[in-house]
Amino acid sequence: MSFEAFKSRFMELTSDPVAIGYIAHDADNARVVYVNSAFSEELGYAAHDVVGKSVDAYHDSETWHDFISAVRPHFAAGDPSFTADAVLIRADGSRLWASASFVVVEEQESQGRYVCATFRDISAFKEAEAVAEKARALLAAAINAFPDPFAIYDKDHALLVWNPAYARSMTDAPDDLKPGIGLKALLLEAARSGRVPEAIGREEEWVEEYYTPDVLAPGVEDFEFRGDRHFRMVRSRTEKGENVVLRLDVSEVVRHRRAAEEYARQLEAANRAIMEKALRDDLTGLGNRRLLTQKLEEFVERKSGSDGEIAVLQIDLDRFKQINDTMGHAAGDHVLVETAKRILDLVEIDDVVSRIGGDEFIALLYVSAGSRRPERLAKSLIASLSRPAHFEGKECRFGASVGLARTPLSDPDELLVNSDLALYKAKRQGRGRLGIFDRADFEEARQNKTLADEIMRGLENAEFLPFYQPQVDAQTGEIVGLEALARWAHPDRGIVSPSGFLRIATDLNVAADIDRMIFERAICECSQFFRSHLAPPSLSFNVSAKRVVESDFDAIRRSVEAYPGQVCFELLETIFLEEESDAFLFHLDRLREFGIGLEIDDFGSGRASVVALQRIGPDRLKIDRRLVAPVSTSSKSHRLLRSIVDIGLALDIEIVAEGVETREQAEILAQLGCNRLQGFLFAAPMALSGVFELFSSSEGLVEARPTR
């Protein structure tokens, strides 16, 4: 762009709003002849909205006359340029404070004038100016309301500002105080009015002694008058040389100073006690998680300057829940206190012991490089905590598992996580074990993380699907039921059974989500396939206790109503034993109302009592496969299974035997009185297509019917 072109387009190129008006020689107001694009953008007016109209069209009417009063003298004086503040009104009605720079150009032919106005937004400045003005007014009000004397003198000691309290403190005629009175004269007035006890009878002499050129020098001075009155004079100086004087009545402060100091000492002691309590577990007196974090940070800092190492022992009690459940929380608390004592008996004075959960403890050690003390301590803890405790004459038997992680194998900030992984490893090996975090755990943790990510992706992509294993009538061999089992259609590994994902899914707390996905998909598939069957098989699902408690009953009811046969929920025997609460039973009753059958899975693997069976009233008991396997070779197993069948008959509960793999087993179980049989003898779990083929066959599984 050439310079000439730039000059001709300057009005459009500038980012400031520009408006040009024309004032005829006989007119009082200008009319708009041009606005640039920045004007339209800032104020919201298109050019045709304002061109041809009076300039007051975009000015605030309330401030218009003030604006005219400001610019009229410049027009009268013939000033070619000047500035003035204006309040503009945008098209949307909002106000804009602007600083307007005016350039006036005389039009010779018409004897009129062109006025070019460039506007700059000064709204923020005006708002700040308003705030400052309000602050000045508030400050003046505060000074006047301040109960203690306050005054400001100029550099020549002439009075400038004061509050009523200052006037009353200096003279008997406070209303007669005027700006400009000298400090020396005012001091003499105060002395003659009896305001200065030490000047009584010698007022002029006192003033000559007291008044010096430095009488208002910055500083603090304390005065003590008769009657145990104490005052503090505070003097300071502003940048302009003005002297600020504030006289504070500190009588009460002086009287109570020692009491306040004593209170401060007591408060400090109380704060120390509170802080100590905040870092301690109320029950055991051990440190809590906050203290553990604090001490770990101290150990890390200590390690940075030495060759020592840090070790973390995570201790978890075995069988503690059973003590709480069977003997009460008082017994549980006693065990926790006893555990704390035993741990403290074994650790050294510099070790840190904390209780971080219900029955979880941490021992934090700082040891020399290569020391085996953490391992020795862990084994001693396991041995000590295996001894029973006694509560109210009763024996509380428990134990402990320990997870150990230490530097340099673990980074300091990963010690707690890695000790938890080591504890998990110990618990997988059984009770009363020591798990040590090692390099193999890194790979396991990585694999678990990868598997966890894949499980979450699999849930998002609906990769979990049901496989079905038939249940046959023990007498006829006909298919009477299907158990829906979870399988994972992994994109790379193919079909994966629960052993390949259930543990991690449980840790991720998504096992119930997988159950729900299997349930909904199986109901949908089987509802379509068995819609025309006269006697559709029952459809069974493995369900967790959490799924029962957190069920969306409306959604379950709708699904159950869609399937033409009976729907059954299988729950582990241990669930019935541990969750036999009124709330849990209420949820079971709700499921029964929808026509859902209830089955106890893996019966014989737990400790369910006959009383519990009567109270719960399940429809079926599924005998654990580990009891079925030896039935053809063990008379003891034979007698045990007969007892279970007899219990079922007595309580009107059907018996299902699972894990049937041989014809001999099937014949014995049928003779014992089992109602249904399930196992590889009849069919392995299969996809829906296999179920189609099975039911499309006229023979079904009749050929596998046991003989009597």
Side-chain angles (χ1 to χ4, degrees), residues 22 39 119 177 206 210 213 216 309 378 520 524 540 576:
Y22 176 75
F39 181 95
F119 301 100
L177 229 58
W206 175 83
Y210 184 75
L216 293 180
E309 299 295 348
E520 293 173 352
C524 180
S540 301
F576 281 92

Side-chain angles (χ1 to χ4, degrees), residues 301-510:
E301 184 176 353
R302 178 180 172 186
K303 183 180 183 303
S304 63
S306 71
D307 295 330
E309 299 295 348
I310 306 170
V312 169
L313 280 73
Q314 190 156 172
I315 307 153
D316 186 83
L317 298 186
D318 299 326
R319 297 184 296 273
F320 177 74
K321 186 177 186 302
Q322 286 86 338
I323 294 174
N324 252 344
D325 292 345
T326 59
M327 302 179 66
H329 290 288
D333 289 348
H334 175 76
V335 168
L336 293 174
V337 173
E338 179 65 21
T339 298
K341 290 179 181 178
R342 295 185 189 182
I343 296 174
L344 291 175
D345 287 342
L346 293 171
V347 299
E348 296 183 358
I349 191 169
D350 292 333
D351 297 338
V352 179
V353 182
S354 295
R355 179 186 173 214
I356 62 169
D359 61 339
E360 297 178 48
F361 300 81
I362 292 282
L364 179 65
L365 284 60
Y366 193 88
V367 297
S368 59
S371 170
R372 306 303 297 171
R373 189 168 77 85
E375 288 80 1
R376 292 195 300 270
L377 175 60
K379 293 176 181 178
S380 298
L381 287 170
I382 292 172
S384 176
L385 296 175
S386 66
R387 302 195 314 270
H390 293 84
F391 176 72
E392 295 181 349
K394 298 179 181 179
E395 196 173 69
C396 303
R397 289 196 169 274
F398 61 101
S401 299
V402 179
L404 170 61
R406 57 186 297 173
T407 59
L409 183 59
S410 295
D411 291 335
D413 58 351
E414 295 177 346
L415 281 169
L416 293 176
V417 173
N418 291 347
S419 66
D420 189 53
L421 290 174
L423 176 63
Y424 183 74
K425 181 166 68 173
K427 284 185 168 293
R428 278 189 299 173
Q429 297 170 354
R431 295 171 176 169
R433 300 297 183 94
L434 167 63
I436 300 177
F437 186 83
D438 55 32
R439 296 193 180 278
D441 296 322
F442 281 114
E443 179 60 23
E444 182 180 359
R446 186 192 66 79
Q447 291 176 355
N448 288 343
K449 173 64 169 59
T450 300
L451 181 58
D453 292 341
E454 291 180 348
I455 289 173
M456 298 306 293
R457 187 215 65 232
L459 279 170
E460 293 175 359
N461 297 336
E463 294 172 1
F464 294 92
L465 72 163
F467 265 43
Y468 304 92
Q469 187 171 31
Q471 296 175 348
V472 303
D473 186 291
Q475 305 303 322
T476 66
E478 295 179 353
I479 301 174
V480 291
L482 295 172
E483 181 179 1
L485 302 168
R487 293 294 186 270
W488 182 9
H490 194 282
D492 299 321
R493 291 188 282 148
I495 301 299
V496 181
S497 66
S499 62
F501 62 83
L502 185 57
R503 178 176 63 86
I504 301 300
T506 302
D507 291 343
L508 290 172
N509 202 28
V510 297

Side-chain angles (χ1 to χ4, degrees), residues 141-359:
I143 290 173
N144 288 333
F146 195 66
D148 289 317
F150 176 89
I152 300 178
Y153 289 85
D154 66 13
K155 58 184 177 59
D156 297 321
H157 295 181
L159 186 63
L160 294 176
V161 177
W162 65 95
N163 67 351
Y166 186 81
R168 291 192 299 270
S169 71
M170 300 298 287
T171 176
D172 290 334
D175 294 339
D176 294 340
L177 229 58
K178 298 291 187 291
I181 185 171
L183 174 60
K184 187 173 183 180
L186 194 54
L187 288 173
L188 182 59
E189 173 66 20
R192 288 172 176 171
S193 302
R195 300 296 198 281
V196 186
E198 63 184 86
I200 295 175
R202 53 186 293 273
E203 289 81 4
E204 287 79 2
E205 182 182 353
W206 175 83
V207 170
E208 292 299 328
E209 293 174 356
Y210 184 75
Y211 183 77
T212 66
D214 296 328
V215 68
L216 293 180
V220 179
E221 189 175 357
D222 290 333
F223 297 91
E224 185 173 353
F225 290 169
R226 291 189 299 271
D228 197 23
R229 300 285 290 172
H230 298 265
F231 293 90
R232 172 161 292 182
M233 189 81 74
V234 181
R235 300 182 295 270
S236 63
R237 187 164 292 159
T238 68
E239 294 181 357
K240 296 180 180 179
E242 299 167 340
N243 300 281
V244 180
V245 180
L246 176 62
R247 195 178 78 184
L248 299 171
D249 184 348
V250 294
S251 300
E252 289 301 314
V253 175
V254 172
R255 279 195 210 91
H256 296 293
R257 181 169 54 199
R258 288 186 177 83
E261 291 172 351
E262 177 61 25
Y263 176 75
R265 284 192 292 271
Q266 295 176 0
L267 184 61
E268 184 179 355
N271 283 338
R272 284 197 300 269
I274 291 171
M275 289 301 297
E276 178 66 18
K277 186 175 178 63
L279 297 173
R280 295 288 169 183
D281 172 51
D282 290 338
L283 178 64
T284 64
L286 299 177
N288 57 17
R289 190 178 292 273
R290 183 181 300 176
L291 178 67
L292 176 67
T293 302
Q294 178 179 308
K295 291 297 184 181
L296 180 57
E297 291 174 354
E298 293 176 7
F299 279 19
V300 172
E301 184 176 353
R302 178 180 172 186
K303 183 180 183 303
S304 63
S306 71
D307 295 330
E309 299 295 348
I310 306 170
V312 169
L313 280 73
Q314 190 156 172
I315 307 153
D316 186 83
L317 298 186
D318 299 326
R319 297 184 296 273
F320 177 74
K321 186 177 186 302
Q322 286 86 338
I323 294 174
N324 252 344
D325 292 345
T326 59
M327 302 179 66
H329 290 288
D333 289 348
H334 175 76
V335 168
L336 293 174
V337 173
E338 179 65 21
T339 298
K341 290 179 181 178
R342 295 185 189 182
I343 296 174
L344 291 175
D345 287 342
L346 293 171
V347 299
E348 296 183 358
I349 191 169
D350 292 333
D351 297 338
V352 179
V353 182
S354 295
R355 179 186 173 214
I356 62 169
D359 61 339

Side-chain angles (χ1 to χ4, degrees), residues 573 576-577 600 603 606-610 612-613:
E573 178 186 2
F576 281 92
L577 175 67
I600 298 181
F603 186 77
R607 294 175 294 169
S609 66
V610 175
L613 290 177

